[in-house]
Amino acid sequence: MTPKEAVNEIKLIVDTIDENLLRVMDGALNNLYGEFMERIFNDKKDANESSLGQYSTKPTLIGAKSFRNKGESDRFFKSQTKDENSTSNWRTLKNGKKAFILNGGYKELRSVQGLQVGEIDLQYRKELLKSIAPNVEAGRFTIEITSEKEFKKARGFEKRKGKSVFFASEKETENAFNYISENLFKDGN
């Protein structure tokens, strides 16, 4: 083998390794993403495998925009009486709009819309769920919250609850590294 043939052979090996590395890293990222989403949105667990918690039952002030859609809002508010002579849960805001005190809090708001109220599932409008995506950029493999609004909501939830949710758990990280080590130098790749 000539030196030029040896260099070409080495380049071919390096290209094959690079291709294989990208394929394996992409597979690891997609597996991690699947486990990450399953844990948060289906299992309702934080990165330490603890429950995300329960919905608040503290009385809360709601308006039409508190509901997932206009139909649910209209249905709810039409079912509430506005008797001016009785003490009711209706309030007039400084801007003149009407609001309603919901005694059962956010848990009741979910319940009147037919949503589950057992454990926090972070899926009220599904905007957060839809904004999380795997990303490969400049050699970095990440899972990102792509919407700034949803990113702020996610970090706010973590701060209020004192939990780390939107980080890979130890188990998820270990599974990603295991996938890489099992597949990087597999025969036939």
Side-chain angles (χ1 to χ4, degrees), residues 1-2 49 79 96 114 126 143 149 159 163 174 179 188:
M1 179 182 295
T2 67
E49 301 291 333
S79 72
K126 302 211 187 298
I143 297 173
K149 178 182 172 186
K159 188 175 181 179
K163 294 180 173 282
E174 183 180 325
Y179 179 89

Side-chain angles (χ1 to χ4, degrees), residues 1-171:
M1 179 182 295
T2 67
K4 187 174 183 173
E5 289 172 337
V7 167
N8 287 338
E9 187 70 26
I10 291 170
K11 283 182 181 178
L12 182 62
I13 291 170
V14 168
D15 287 346
T16 302
I17 290 172
D18 285 349
E19 254 179 54
N20 192 37
L21 178 61
L22 289 175
R23 185 187 54 74
V24 169
M25 292 297 290
D26 189 58
L29 176 62
N30 285 314
N31 287 347
L32 176 62
Y33 172 72
E35 290 179 26
F36 180 86
M37 298 297 279
E38 177 78 18
R39 171 181 51 83
I40 296 168
F41 296 104
N42 293 340
D43 299 341
K44 304 167 193 129
K45 304 276 186 199
D46 66 14
N48 295 314
E49 301 291 333
S50 297
S51 169
L52 295 177
Q54 303 295 312
Y55 289 108
S56 172
T57 57
K58 179 180 172 187
T60 189
L61 194 62
I62 63 168
K65 290 186 178 180
S66 300
F67 288 81
R68 294 185 312 154
N69 62 52
K70 186 173 178 356
E72 290 171 348
S73 168
D74 290 348
R75 194 169 24 263
F76 175 80
F77 288 117
K78 285 178 184 172
S79 72
Q80 305 301 315
T81 59
K82 293 183 184 178
D83 183 358
E84 300 296 329
N85 298 323
S86 70
T87 56
S88 74
N89 287 7
W90 287 100
R91 299 295 182 266
T92 302
L93 305 177
K94 289 179 182 178
N95 63 9
K97 291 185 178 182
K98 296 284 185 184
F100 190 84
I101 295 178
L102 200 58
N103 291 325
Y106 188 67
K107 184 174 186 173
E108 185 177 350
L109 178 62
R110 289 182 60 89
S111 178
V112 298
Q113 296 178 85
L115 299 172
Q116 73 85 18
V117 293
E119 288 183 287
I120 293 174
D121 66 7
L122 300 172
Q123 295 188 55
Y124 187 63
R125 288 190 174 100
K126 302 211 187 298
E127 292 165 343
L128 178 59
L129 173 82
K130 292 175 186 175
S131 75
I132 299 174
N135 185 36
V136 179
E137 191 174 315
R140 294 188 66 219
F141 293 76
T142 59
I143 297 173
E144 299 177 351
I145 300 174
T146 58
S147 159
E148 185 64 28
K149 178 182 172 186
E150 297 306 313
F151 178 81
K152 288 178 180 177
K153 283 184 191 177
R155 291 298 177 243
F157 176 82
E158 289 177 323
K159 188 175 181 179
R160 279 190 314 281
K161 295 291 186 176
K163 294 180 173 282
S164 293
V165 178
F166 302 95
F167 297 92
S169 69
E170 272 188 43
K171 178 182 168 192

